[in-house]
Amino acid sequence: MRLPDDDEIYDVDQTYLGPPGYYIGRLRYRMIAVTPVVVLVGFAFLVKTGVGFSLLSVALTVLVALRLSQWIVNKTTHERPIGVLVTTFWHELTAVRFPTCGQRARRPSAFRRRSTTVGAEHPLPTARRRRWRSYANASAAAREEA
Amino acid sequence: MFGFTKGGARRLAVATTSRTPSSTAAKWALSRVAGHVTFSDKRMVAWYLLEPQRWSFRTVADGEQLIEAHAAQVAELVGRTVYGRITTRPYAVQSWAEAAWNNSPAPTEGFAKILERDQIQLASRQQSDKLVYFGIDLGSRSTTIDLTSRVLPDVARRELEAIQHRLDEVDEVMAGPGVDAIPAVGNDMAWLLARSFALGCPAPTQDTIEETHWDANALHEFSGTVHWSAEPLAQSVRIDATTGERPITRHVVILTVGRMGELRIPEVDEPWIAKTDKLPFPAEWMFRVEVRSPEDTSKEMNKLSDRVLAQREHYLDDHGKQPPRQLARQADRASQVEDEQRSGFDGLATRTRGWYRIAVSAPTQEEALARAKVVQKIYKPAIKIEREFDQFRLAREFVPMEPLANTGHTRHLPILKFAAGVPAATAEVGDKRGVLIGYTSGFAERPVTWDPWFGPEVVEGSGLVPIVGGLGAGKSFLAGGVVYKTGAQGVPWTVLDPSGRLGALADLPEFRGVAAAINLLQSEPGALNPYALVPEPQLAWFRSEPDPKHAFTLAKQAAQSQRRDLMTDTLRWCLPAEDQDNPEVLSVLRDAVSRAEARPYSTAHGVMMALQNDPDTDRVVASRVLRRLHESAERELSRLFFATPQTGNHGEALSDRRMTFFSLKGLAQLDESKPKSEWSYDELMSRPVMSLAAWSALRSVYRADFNERKGMFLDEVHEITAVSTGRTLVQKVATDTRKHDIAALVSTQNAANVIGQNINNFVGAAFVGKTTDDEAQAHNCRLLGLPTGVGYEAEFATLSRRSRRSEATGTPREFIFRDGMGGEDGKGGVEKIRIDYSNHERLTAALNTTADPAKRRALELVPGEVPDEGAA
C-alpha cells in the first residue's frame, strides 16, 4: 500500500516579502524574530563591558549580530526549531561529565597557587614525624584483626 | 534539572569507588516498578512484550492485513502515548545445547564434540533474539498518591489496584490480533531495565528473576552499576558499566529518524523499523508515539490550512508574486487529512506524532560513528537518519520513564505508516531443540536449528521432508549434515544414495564401528528379492487401533499384495521393451505372480515354477516369458532380483549396523530424451534396481523398534518415482512416518515428484534450493504453500548466487525452508536459510564432491610426488 506521511504539511513556507505593495526581498520570519534579540544582547554586552555606545561600536555590534542571526537561522529548520537549539545548548552544558577528579595525581603545577616564596623561611616540621615503618605496622595490625 | 551534579558529590562518588565510576551522578526518573507497570514521580507506563511476526514470504495481501490489524489495535489507544523499545537477547546457546543433548536418544561422544563446535560458532557470531516492548502511558499520578506513597510502602500495590480497570482495558488492546503482546513481568521487565540502563553494553548473563516489584533501592541494582557521561558537543555518549566481571566502556551514538519519502510496504519496501535487523551489529530502538484523536488532528489541519492560505495570499495579493507550488500541495493534503478524520470509523485514518531513535554502540567512538554511518546508509534514500547534538539526553530516552530530550525531528505519521514499520517482524524458523543446520540469510541472520522428528512427535504431522533443487543445489550436502549430526545423537539412519557420495560418512570417526557402506550392485544374486523387501507387519504396530487383530490381518494382506505388485513390476522390467506393454504377456505374468506364494521368504523362483506348471495359461506366451526370465536371472544386474531357495535375500537384514549407507555406484544414468526401445540393458535396469534399493532401505528402517526414532534419506527420488512401485513407496513413506516416528528426507530435482503423488497434505517441513526451470519453480511454490504468480518463483533462481570473480570453491548452499511447525496457516515459518557446516571440517571434507585436479588418480600412483602449487 502507498504510505505517504503528513510531515510536508507542517513545513509551511515562512517567507516575508515586505508590507503589502512594498517588496523588500525574501526574509525568513525566524530572521525577523531572532535579529532584534541578538542585537539587544550585543548592546547589553557593550554596556556590561564598559565599551559604551559610539557609532563604531554600535555599527560593529549590529553587523556581528546580523551575521550571528543568519548563522542561527541557517542552523535551524522546521525539523529543528530555535527552541530545540536552545534546549540542546542547555543540555550540552549540563550533561554529566566523566569524572576526572581524583583520578590524576595532582593538578598541573603551572596553574597552582604558590604556597611559598623563594627566600622565605622554611622551618622544619615541629610535629613528630611518622616514619614509613609506623604505616607498615598499622596495616599489619589491621590485617591481624581482620 | 536532573543529571546535574555539584562537584562535591562527584568527588565523593569517585572517592568511594576509586576508578569505577558510580551512577550517583545521574538521577533517573524511574522510581518504582510494580508488575509490568513502571512509575516515575508523576507518570505510569504499562509495558508489554510483543509476539514476533513472520515477515518473509508473506503475500502482499497477507502483509497488508497484518499492518492493518496492528494499526487498528494501536489506534484504539487514542489520547495515550505509546513507547516502543526494541532490544536483543543473546541467543541462548547453552540452553539450546542442553535441549539438543536431552533431545538425543543415545548421544555419543562424537555428538558432544559436534555440540561443542556448534556452540563455539554460535557464540562467536553473536546471534541474538529480538525483543520488542511496547509501553502504554496510563496517565499521571495525583499529588496525594505521590505524597502518601512516600510514607506507606504498600501504596504502589494499592495504586495498581485502583488503576486496574484502566490497565485491563490496555491489556485487552495489547493482546489483540496484530499486536499479540503479553505483559512484561519479572524476567522480561528485568531484561528491559538491564538493557536500558546499560545501553549498548554487552548483554550480561541473566538469571531467572522471581521478583516482580522493585522499589527505588532495588532499582539501584540496575542503575548503580552504570555511569553515563558525555563531553560538551560530543558525538556519542560514554557508558561505563560494571555489570559483568570486568568494567566495560561503550560509546553509544543516537540517531533520529528524519523526513521520510513515500514508502510502498509490503510491495516494494521492507518494514522500515525492522530494517535494522539486517545489520551485522545490534541496533536498539526507542520511539515515543502520541496517538492523536481525530478532533485534535482536524483542528491542527485547519490551523495549518489557514497558515498555508495566508502565505499564499501574501505572495499573490500583497505582492503579486507566484507562490511556491508546495503551498498548493500542502493545502490539498491538509484538507484531505482533515476529511479523512471525519470519515471512516476503523481508526486507520488516525494520526500520530512521534520521535524515533536508533542507538548503536561500539567500544570506541570511531567504531560507533562508523556503525551509525552504516545505519544511515541502509535507510537511504527513502528515510533520512540524522545524528544530532544533545546525545546525552537523547540516549537517556532509552531508559523507561525518561522525558523527551527535545522536540526536534517530530514525525507526523498516519497510523498505517507507523504500523508498516512492523517492529515485531523477525526471521524465525526451526525449533529450539534440534541440531544446527545453518543461518537465515534473508531478512536477518538467525541460527536455524531443526529436529527432523519435531513433525511426527510434537506437531503430529508427517516426517516426510522433501529436499528439492536443481543440479548442484546442495541437496546431498544438506542431508549429509543432518544425517551426520542426528546420527551422532544415536538415531539409526538408512541412506540410499545412488551416487555413493555419502558413503564417505561411514568412514568418519563418529560412526566407527556403527556404520556400513554397502554397494547393492556388488551384492550376491537375489539380494534385491522383491518379496523380501516388503516388511511383514507386526501386531505391535497396531496396538493403538480399536481392533488390533483385524487391522493386523488387513495389513498382512496389504503387504502380500504389495509384494505381488512389486514382483510383477520388477519382472516386467526384465522383459524386452516390446513385451513390457503387451497386455497378453502382462496378464500371463500377473496370473503367475498371483498363484505364487508372496511371503517375505518367497522368491522369484516360485513365479517361474507357476509359469512352468500352470496348464490354463497360454503356453506359448508363458514359455516365452519364462525363457526371458531365465535369461535375466543370469544377467549382471537383473540377477539381483532372482533369489532361489538356497541363495539371495529371504527377509534377513542386509546390514546389522546402526547407520547403513546403500549405494548403487556404477548404475547407468537414464537418458530421458531417447525412446524406450533404444534404451540399453543397463539403462533399462536402472529404474527397477533403484526402486528396489529404495524398498530395501525402507525395510531396513522398519526393522527398528516401532517407537524408536529412525531416519531415512532417499536421494534422487525423481528416478524412483518414475516406476509405479517407486511412487507407492513414496506414498507409503509419507503415510507411515508419523506412526513409526520416521524422518524421511527425500531429495528430488522437481517438487512435482512429491506433489504429484498427492501427498502434499502429509508434508511437514520442506527445503527448496536453487531451481531455474519455470515449471519446477511453480511446483516449489505449491510445495511451500506459497501463492503462484506473485513473484516468488524468481526467488528460487536467485538462491546460492556466487560472484563471477570468486575463486573460492563450493557455492553457498541456500534453501528456502518451511519448518511445518504450525503457526497462523499451520505450515510454520518460511525463511531463506544458508546451510553452514564450515565448523565441522571432517564432515565438509567428506561431503565435498567438487572436482579437484590435484586429487586425480594419476598423481596418487606416483609415490612421493606432491602436486606443485606453483605449476597449478
Side-chain angles (χ1 to χ4, degrees):
Chain A
M1 64 184 103
R2 281 182 59 231
L3 297 163
D5 57 35
D6 306 341
D7 283 328
E8 197 195 4
I9 311 174
Y10 289 80
D11 189 9
V12 182
D13 178 69
Q14 295 180 338
T15 315
Y16 180 64
L17 306 177
Y22 299 95
Y23 177 70
I24 54 168
R26 291 169 186 266
L27 294 175
R28 283 167 289 189
Y29 285 122
R30 281 201 304 279
M31 188 72 179
I32 298 166
V34 170
T35 314
V37 176
V38 181
V39 169
L40 282 177
V41 170
F43 287 165
F45 177 79
L46 291 184
V47 171
K48 275 282 171 191
T49 50
V51 174
F53 298 106
S54 65
L55 183 65
L56 181 70
S57 66
V58 170
L60 274 178
T61 309
V62 171
L63 280 178
V64 171
L66 274 173
R67 188 72 197 85
L68 196 64
S69 312
Q70 210 170 23
W71 181 84
I72 292 173
V73 168
N74 283 344
K75 287 285 162 204
T76 54
T77 57
H78 149 74
E79 288 283 298
R80 194 198 297 121
I82 292 171
V84 170
L85 205 70
V86 175
T87 323
T88 303
F89 181 66
W90 176 247
H91 283 171
E92 286 289 351
L93 282 184
T94 57
V96 176
R97 311 281 174 232
F98 186 72
T100 48
C101 297
Q103 302 220 346
R104 238 179 267 134
R106 62 199 302 191
R107 279 180 290 169
S109 58
F111 301 105
R112 211 148 34 111
R113 195 169 56 188
R114 305 276 166 198
S115 56
T116 60
T117 48
V118 180
E121 269 187 47
H122 291 100
L124 285 167
T126 47
R128 193 173 148 264
R129 286 183 71 192
R130 299 186 71 181
R131 305 182 66 132
W132 68 270
R133 186 171 289 280
S134 66
Y135 290 104
N137 288 343
S139 65
R143 268 206 302 277
E144 270 174 27
E145 271 175 31
Chain B
M1 182 59 66
F2 52 81
F4 186 63
T5 327
K6 298 281 181 294
R10 196 163 61 184
R11 259 199 296 281
L12 181 71
V14 172
T16 50
T17 56
S18 72
R19 279 184 175 272
T20 38
S22 156
S23 73
T24 45
K27 196 175 160 232
W28 301 98
L30 178 69
S31 63
R32 188 177 302 157
V33 177
H36 63 296
V37 184
T38 54
F39 298 82
S40 70
D41 287 348
K42 288 279 166 229
R43 304 200 77 83
M44 292 166 279
V45 174
W47 290 89
Y48 300 85
L49 187 64
L50 268 68
E51 168 97 356
Q53 302 281 359
R54 176 175 71 85
W55 185 258
S56 315
F57 298 99
R58 262 184 194 273
T59 57
V60 171
D62 203 15
E64 281 180 0
Q65 203 183 353
L66 177 74
I67 292 170
E68 280 172 10
H70 188 78
Q73 287 305 110
V74 179
E76 285 191 35
L77 300 165
V78 164
R80 296 191 189 281
T81 304
V82 178
Y83 299 87
R85 188 73 182 77
I86 302 176
T87 183
T88 51
R89 177 150 45 197
Y91 188 79
V93 178
Q94 198 185 339
S95 54
W96 160 74
E98 273 171 25
W101 181 266
N102 296 333
N103 185 38
S104 316
T108 60
E109 206 176 308
F111 186 60
K113 292 269 160 58
I114 291 172
L115 268 187
E116 197 180 311
R117 288 196 290 267
D118 283 345
Q119 283 185 79
I120 291 170
Q121 195 193 44
L122 277 175
S124 69
R125 294 200 176 194
Q126 296 181 344
Q127 295 294 325
S128 52
D129 288 335
K130 179 168 152 186
L131 296 180
V132 182
Y133 293 91
F134 266 22
I136 313 298
D137 193 66
L138 295 174
S140 56
R141 306 168 79 193
S142 74
T143 320
T144 326
I145 289 178
D146 187 25
L147 287 175
T148 44
S149 71
R150 287 162 197 264
V151 185
L152 301 168
D154 202 30
V155 163
R157 189 185 56 77
R158 285 202 232 158
E159 190 184 354
L160 199 60
E161 277 172 15
I163 58 166
Q164 193 61 53
H165 85 271
R166 217 186 311 169
L167 197 58
D168 287 345
E169 199 180 291
V170 175
D171 280 357
E172 201 181 317
V173 173
M174 295 308 286
V179 181
D180 302 309
I182 51 162
V185 190
N187 260 339
D188 294 331
M189 175 56 79
W191 190 254
L192 171 68
L193 297 177
R195 295 297 276 163
S196 300
F197 280 108
L199 182 67
C201 294
T205 47
Q206 193 186 6
D207 301 324
T208 309
I209 288 168
E210 280 168 13
E211 66 249 62
T212 52
H213 292 61
W214 287 272
D215 60 11
N217 287 333
L219 284 172
H220 192 70
E221 177 192 339
F222 301 106
S223 60
T225 49
V226 291
H227 181 268
W228 294 40
S229 58
E231 296 309 307
L233 304 178
Q235 294 176 309
S236 68
V237 182
R238 177 184 169 139
I239 296 177
D240 293 272
T242 47
T243 39
E245 289 164 2
R246 285 178 299 181
I248 295 163
T249 302
R250 284 288 179 275
H251 293 266
V252 183
V253 175
I254 311 296
L255 299 163
T256 303
V257 175
R259 288 288 291 269
M260 305 163 95
E262 189 179 281
L263 301 176
R264 294 193 65 181
I265 302 173
E267 299 94 329
V268 181
D269 300 293
E270 288 161 331
W272 60 275
I273 295 180
K275 217 170 173 181
T276 45
D277 288 13
K278 283 187 159 181
L279 294 168
F281 48 83
E284 306 241 342
W285 275 81
M286 160 72 208
F287 47 83
R288 137 180 353 223
V289 177
E290 295 169 8
V291 186
R292 315 189 69 194
S293 66
E295 296 77 32
D296 265 5
T297 315
S298 284
K299 217 186 279 174
E300 196 168 45
M301 286 302 138
N302 286 334
K303 225 165 91 184
L304 283 166
S305 291
D306 290 348
R307 264 172 68 186
V308 171
L309 284 178
Q311 191 65 19
R312 244 173 95 85
E313 280 165 14
H314 183 57
Y315 274 96
L316 275 174
D317 303 347
D318 295 354
H319 297 282
K321 289 197 175 290
Q322 191 61 35
R325 280 188 187 182
Q326 190 194 25
L327 287 172
R329 218 165 47 230
Q330 283 168 324
D332 270 1
R333 185 94 181 94
S335 75
Q336 191 190 338
V337 173
E338 206 272 335
D339 182 51
E340 279 174 18
Q341 302 307 305
R342 292 171 192 273
S343 54
F345 301 99
D346 51 4
L348 295 181
T350 307
R351 259 49 193 180
T352 66
R353 176 169 59 194
W355 296 268
Y356 303 83
R357 324 271 190 219
I358 306 168
V360 287
S361 69
T364 62
Q365 180 171 287
E366 290 69 36
E367 252 176 280
L369 289 170
R371 288 183 169 189
K373 278 236 168 72
V374 177
V375 176
Q376 287 173 323
K377 208 170 150 191
I378 64 160
Y379 278 101
K380 267 180 188 168
I383 301 174
K384 230 174 152 187
I385 304 288
E386 312 272 359
R387 182 171 55 74
E388 289 290 341
F389 288 115
D390 202 4
Q391 289 280 309
F392 184 74
R393 290 304 196 292
L394 286 171
R396 282 179 70 111
E397 283 186 16
F398 282 73
V399 178
M401 310 313 291
E402 285 298 311
L404 187 68
N406 61 57
T407 53
H409 299 291
T410 310
R411 294 275 68 81
H412 299 93
L413 303 185
I415 196 107
L416 275 174
K417 192 161 186 171
F418 164 66
V422 199
T426 185
E428 231 183 55
V429 74
D431 47 62
K432 294 220 164 173
R433 66 173 208 181
V435 292
L436 180 72
I437 56 171
Y439 298 87
T440 55
S441 62
F443 199 64
E445 193 186 88
R446 303 253 186 278
V448 181
T449 54
W450 178 56
D451 176 16
W453 292 272
F454 196 88
E457 289 177 13
V458 182
V459 191
E460 301 222 340
S462 167
L464 182 76
V465 184
I467 303 175
V468 185
L471 272 176
K475 303 185 291 287
S476 306
F477 186 81
L478 161 65
V482 174
V483 171
Y484 169 72
K485 290 188 176 182
T486 52
Q489 282 187 313
V491 177
W493 272 94
T494 308
V495 174
L496 172 66
D497 163 40
S499 59
R501 285 168 181 173
L502 293 181
L505 289 178
D507 301 330
L508 291 179
E510 283 85 353
F511 302 130
R512 194 166 289 153
V514 295
I518 298 170
N519 187 350
L520 287 170
L521 295 191
Q522 289 165 6
S523 307
E524 58 159 347
L528 294 177
N529 174 13
Y531 284 137
L533 299 182
V534 178
E536 187 73 353
Q538 285 162 30
L539 191 57
W541 298 0
F542 305 96
R543 292 251 163 84
S544 57
E545 303 282 328
D547 185 358
K549 280 202 174 153
H550 182 62
F552 174 55
T553 319
L554 287 180
K556 268 175 94 170
Q557 284 168 4
Q560 278 204 15
S561 31
Q562 188 79 71
R563 282 186 204 108
R564 290 201 167 102
D565 286 346
L566 200 56
M567 182 50 96
T568 316
D569 206 47
T570 310
L571 295 183
R572 192 181 140 205
W573 282 94
C574 296
L575 300 176
E578 62 275 13
D579 277 349
Q580 282 185 16
D581 298 322
N582 184 341
E584 212 178 335
V585 171
L586 289 184
S587 153
V588 167
L589 186 63
R590 182 79 220 184
D591 286 347
V593 172
S594 302
R595 277 195 306 280
E597 196 185 27
R599 308 283 299 161
Y601 46 78
S602 309
T603 61
H605 197 68
V607 181
M608 282 149 86
M609 298 276 280
L611 274 173
Q612 198 168 10
N613 299 335
D614 187 19
D616 302 337
T617 46
D618 183 345
R619 289 311 313 158
V620 182
V621 177
S623 53
R624 195 172 84 220
V625 170
L626 195 59
R627 278 200 300 280
R628 294 290 93 80
L629 291 185
H630 272 300
E631 274 170 25
S632 293
E634 284 158 15
R635 292 193 79 158
E636 194 188 3
L637 285 173
S638 48
R639 68 182 175 203
L640 290 169
F641 315 143
F642 292 89
T644 62
Q646 293 78 35
T647 60
N649 186 350
H650 301 108
E652 63 270 19
L654 283 173
S655 152
D656 54 356
R657 303 292 176 91
R658 183 160 65 78
M659 314 278 293
T660 314
F661 296 86
F662 292 119
S663 75
L664 297 168
K665 238 177 179 170
L667 194 69
Q669 285 279 319
L670 206 58
D671 184 2
E672 292 277 358
S673 56
K674 279 199 293 187
K676 205 173 174 182
S677 52
E678 286 179 24
W679 288 356
S680 70
Y681 168 74
D682 280 1
E683 284 174 332
L684 206 59
M685 281 299 117
S686 71
R687 277 188 172 158
V689 168
M690 194 97 137
S691 164
L692 288 179
W695 276 98
S696 124
L698 183 66
R699 193 201 51 182
S700 106
V701 172
Y702 281 110
R703 210 159 35 89
D705 188 316
F706 176 57
N707 291 309
E708 195 186 330
R709 275 185 198 171
K710 297 164 281 284
M712 178 164 102
F713 172 50
L714 300 179
D715 207 352
E716 314 288 349
V717 163
H718 45 272
E719 292 290 339
I720 297 169
T721 49
V723 292
S724 66
T725 48
R727 290 192 286 273
T728 321
L729 169 106
V730 176
Q731 263 182 19
K732 190 170 163 58
V733 171
T735 46
D736 279 4
T737 46
R738 191 176 64 82
K739 227 164 102 183
H740 289 260
D741 204 3
I742 301 172
L745 275 56
V746 293
S747 102
T748 169
Q749 286 184 9
N750 193 335
N753 289 302
V754 181
I755 300 167
Q757 310 311 311
N758 200 21
I759 53 170
N760 201 20
N761 289 338
F762 298 109
V763 177
F767 293 87
V768 175
K770 190 179 176 80
T771 321
T772 42
D773 181 56
D774 290 346
E775 203 186 330
Q777 287 173 351
H779 288 310
N780 288 348
C781 283
R782 278 186 59 203
L783 182 71
L784 293 171
L786 299 173
T788 48
V790 291
Y792 287 127
E793 287 86 347
E795 188 78 21
F796 301 116
T798 61
L799 292 168
S800 308
R801 189 183 284 173
R802 60 173 287 155
S803 159
R804 283 188 65 217
R805 291 183 185 174
S806 167
E807 291 210 354
T809 52
T811 44
R813 276 101 174 175
E814 284 185 326
F815 285 87
I816 290 169
F817 173 38
R818 186 185 83 183
D819 61 13
M821 277 173 55
E824 291 159 50
D825 52 0
K827 289 177 175 171
V830 184
E831 283 297 335
K832 186 156 100 173
I833 66 165
R834 192 183 64 250
I835 306 300
D836 189 346
Y837 304 137
S838 56
N839 54 338
H840 305 284
E841 279 174 22
R842 279 195 294 261
L843 171 70
T844 36
L847 294 178
N848 186 10
T849 52
T850 314
D852 183 0
K855 287 184 189 163
R856 64 183 187 271
R857 221 173 288 169
L859 287 175
E860 280 174 26
L861 296 175
V862 187
E865 189 81 7
V866 180
D868 184 8
E869 281 177 22

